[in-house]
Amino acid sequence: MKAKANDDFVVPRSVAVIMDGNGRWAKQAGLERIRGHERGIDAVRTTVTECARLGVQALVLYAFSEENWQRPQREIDLLFKLLKRFLTEELSTLMKNGVRLLHSGRRDRLASDVLDLLDRTVAATAGNTGMKLSLAISYGGRQEIVDAARALAAKVASGAMRATDIDEAAIHAHLYQPSLPDPDLLIRTAGERRISNFLLWQVSYAEIHVADVCWPEFGAEHLHAAFRDYGRRTRKFGKVL
Ligand code: FPP
């Protein structure tokens, strides 16, 4: 059950965030786009820490989409450098806050040093029992469904399961991180109203909150505003209440 704190403030069990507007923030500040990504790390740190403190059970951050591979190589290199820095520098904070790190996405295009660091951080935090934090990296919602379909088809072909056994639970069990609950709340920054191939299967009944600020400006007060907005929603899941 969701805990009501004060007024409409409700902490969702599971939150997903499309971190948008790093480039726009940098442009407005007269800086290079990559400076926006650098500042975006501060917002990542704040959001992770505050969600863990408030008792969110699962947080998924859209850090690098399948489509982001089409960005200039220099920007891609910098994003992965920032990711490696984050994983190295934040490990002690993740441990202190009991956060368990996971990865959602395809592994095949990730460089070996990135994979190695991700795997080591996942292993180092595996015993933590607090919030699960999944970084969506080289992630696409359609690709995730394709990968689940392939895994299920292989099981049917080998005789391990029957086609008629494929139901919603079976598809969920073959997503990248089946232990994660579907997001209750999807937050997107920079005023954009799109899903952008993020968690397509999982967001079927997510409440959507759009924050007008760019991601580098997103702070605890914006997270709290999203939780207040969430607290005002009536979730009917298609039923009559
Ligand atoms: C969108 O801004 C943001 C991204 C594509 C990357 C998000 C990455 C970070 C916040 C830093 C690294 C993350 C972690 C978890 C360590 P944009 O560049 O699309 O902005 P724009 O639409 O204004 O150009």
Side-chain angles (χ1 to χ4, degrees), residues 37-54:
H37 297 314
E38 278 173 359
R39 282 294 292 268
I41 293 284
D42 296 338
V44 169
R45 189 181 301 114
T46 304
T47 302
V48 171
T49 305
E50 189 62 2
C51 282
R53 189 184 77 79
L54 288 169

Side-chain angles (χ1 to χ4, degrees), residues 4-34:
K4 264 214 188 258
N6 52 43
D7 57 66
D8 295 322
F9 191 97
V10 172
V11 178
R13 184 161 80 114
S14 178
V15 177
V17 186
I18 302 177
M19 308 181 287
D20 197 11
N22 291 352
R24 266 163 285 176
W25 176 87
K27 195 173 172 195
Q28 283 156 19
L31 301 168
E32 267 191 287
R33 289 180 54 77
I34 54 175

